[in-house]
Amino acid sequence: MLALTLLALPLLSTASSVHGRHDSHSHTHAKRLPSHWFHEARHPVHELFRRDDATFPTVGSDAWAAGYPPGPPAAPDVSKLPAAWVAALNDAVSRKAIPDIPLSLNASDGGNPTYPNGLDPNGPEICSATYKCRIDGDIWDGPAGTVGISFDDGPEAGTDDLLAFLESNKQKVTHFLIGSNILYEPAKFTRMFKNGDDLAVHTWTHPHMTTQSNLQVVAELGYTMQIIHQSTGGRVPKYWRPPYGDSDKRVTAIAKEVFGLTTVVWNQDTLDWSLTDTNPETSADKIQSQMKEWLGGPKTPGLVILEHEVSQKSVASFVAAYPLMQQSGWQIASLASLLSNNVSYQNAADNTGTVNVVDIVAAKNAAVAKPDASSSAPASSPSKSSVASVNNNNKANTSPSPSPSPSAPSSASPQKTLGSATAMLCAAVVFLLWQ
C-alpha cells in the first residue's frame, strides 16, 4: 500500500498543475470519516463522471409532456415559472433594460390593442409593431434579392400537406411555432425537425403580447422555447414572431434580454389565415395576384411574407405561388437561415450539427460556427463545444470555432486524457489513505 501511495505522489503533483491546487483538502487524519459525503465541484474525481451532453425525454411521452401548462383558453400560471427565468427577468429590470411602459388593452371590438392615458403607439416611448413602428434590431425585411419562407401557428391542420410538399421539393422553411400546439401534435413537430426546417417561437397561447404582464411574456416565450429545446436535442430558438405582429419596446426587450430572442415581423401579408373563415378577408386568386406583384417588384428589400400552416387552403396558396418564386430570380430559403448566415439557432447552426450544451437562458451567451461538412452530430446526442460570447445585437459569431481553452479542453485533448487518468489515481490514493 505504501509503495502504491509513494508511486502516486508525483501524479498528485501533476494533478495540481492540470486542475489547480487542492490544499484545502487535508488528509492528516487518515482514518477519520470525511466531514461531508460529496466531493467539491472542483475535485478531480468529477472529471471521471462529468457528462458532455444532455439527454431529454422521448418526444410525445408522458415524461416529455410533464411540467408544461395546458393550451388555450388557459394561460400559463406565472406562479410556477422556473426560478432561472424569473431571475433573468428581475436582473434585466434592475438594469433598466426593460422599459417601464404600461400594458396595452384589448379592444372590445377585436381590433388593435390600445394604450391607456392617450399614449401614442407610434411614439418613441412605445413603438408598437402593431401600428407599424419599427424598433431598432427588430427584423421586418429580408436581405436584398431573397424570399425568406416561413409559416406561423404550427403544428396545425395544414402541416402535413405543407411538409409533404417541402420534402418533395427539398425545400427548408422556418416554422414559428405555438408551444401548446407542439404539446398536442408531437408527430407533426418531429417531422418538421427531421425535414431540416428551422424552428422558431410564436408563443404558447397566441395572445396579443403587449397586453401581457412581464411575467406573462416570459411564460409565453419560455415554455415554447423550452419545449423546442427538449424536443430537438437541446437546440435553442434564435427568433420569435409576435402573434398579430403585436410587440412594443417592452415586449421586444424582454424577449432579447431574458431569452436572447430577436423579434421578426414581416413586410407583406397574405391574410391566408382567413381562408377558412365564413367571411374570409382574402381568396386564393387574390393571394396569387399579390404574389405575382410582390415577386415581380423590386428585389430590395428582400421579401418576408406572412403565411400560415393553419389549413389545407392556406398551404395550397403557398404551393400555387412556389413556382413563381422559383421563376422570378429570387434566392429562396428558410427565413431563419437567411437572417443569420445559415446559423438557425442560438446554440447550433442547424438540425444536425454540433449543439452547445446550455439552457434557454444561458443560450444567449453561446456562439456557433456555420455548418460544414464535418458538422454532423445527431440531434439526439448533442455534443459539447466551447461557449463564447456574442455581441450586444446577439449576432452569431460565424467565424470558425475557437480553440479550446485550458479550462474547457476538447474531448480529444491530451490534457483532458491526462487529467482523467490522474484523477482516477488521485481518487484511489485518497481511498487508501482513509483505510
Side-chain angles (χ1 to χ4, degrees), residues 132-372:
K132 308 306 180 187
C133 183
R134 296 192 175 198
I135 299 170
D136 288 345
D138 287 5
I139 294 172
W140 293 68
D141 306 315
T146 66
V147 178
I149 307 177
S150 65
F151 295 87
D152 284 15
D153 293 356
E156 254 286 5
T159 296
D160 281 335
D161 282 359
L162 174 63
L163 293 176
F165 178 80
L166 296 174
E167 289 160 4
S168 65
N169 285 274
K170 296 181 172 55
Q171 178 67 59
K172 296 180 181 181
V173 303
T174 298
H175 301 269
F176 287 97
L177 299 164
I178 296 176
S180 55
N181 285 0
I182 300 173
L183 189 66
Y184 302 140
E185 296 282 2
K188 292 179 180 180
F189 172 85
T190 299
R191 188 177 176 187
M192 292 175 182
F193 183 62
K194 289 182 176 179
N195 186 54
D197 291 345
D198 298 322
L199 308 175
V201 171
H202 198 44
T203 75
W204 190 258
T205 64
H206 205 271
H208 283 93
M209 289 290 275
T210 63
T211 69
Q212 306 290 291
S213 71
N214 288 359
L215 285 173
Q216 288 173 319
V217 171
V218 167
E220 290 285 344
L221 298 175
Y223 283 119
T224 307
M225 293 187 75
Q226 184 72 4
I227 201 168
I228 293 172
H229 176 68
Q230 291 195 329
S231 307
T232 61
R235 287 163 177 79
V236 178
K238 191 177 181 69
Y239 300 104
W240 84 287
R241 176 174 279 160
Y244 317 103
D246 184 49
S247 186
D248 58 18
K249 283 189 172 181
R250 178 182 65 91
V251 174
T252 290
I254 294 172
K256 175 66 72 176
E257 296 292 333
V258 177
F259 295 118
L261 289 167
T262 296
T263 303
V264 179
V265 195
W266 58 82
N267 56 21
Q268 300 294 350
D269 185 357
T270 62
L271 299 175
D272 61 350
W273 55 269
S274 73
L275 287 170
T276 54
D277 286 359
T278 303
N279 296 305
E281 296 186 35
T282 190
S283 66
D285 288 342
K286 183 175 180 180
I287 291 174
Q288 188 75 346
S289 176
Q290 289 175 319
M291 286 288 194
K292 289 179 180 178
E293 178 183 349
W294 299 333
L295 293 165
K299 290 186 168 57
T300 301
L303 291 173
V304 180
I305 302 172
L306 180 61
E307 299 184 87
H308 295 77
E309 53 192 280
V310 295
S311 69
Q312 292 177 322
K313 287 185 176 182
S314 62
V315 170
S317 69
F318 163 74
V319 171
Y322 187 71
L324 296 175
M325 299 179 185
Q326 293 178 306
Q327 297 163 10
S328 301
W330 296 81
Q331 177 188 348
I332 308 168
S334 166
L335 177 58
S337 64
L338 275 178
L339 296 179
S340 52
N341 201 15
N342 295 319
V343 175
S344 302
Y345 301 95
Q346 293 190 52
N347 64 331
D350 52 31
N351 292 3
T352 59
T354 300
V355 177
N356 289 347
V357 182
V358 288
D359 61 36
I360 64 172
V361 170
K364 57 182 175 288
N365 298 318
V368 294
K370 290 192 300 181
D372 55 41

Side-chain angles (χ1 to χ4, degrees), residues 52-70:
D52 284 346
D53 60 5
T55 57
F56 301 96
T58 301
V59 176
S61 67
D62 290 342
W64 170 81
Y68 289 108

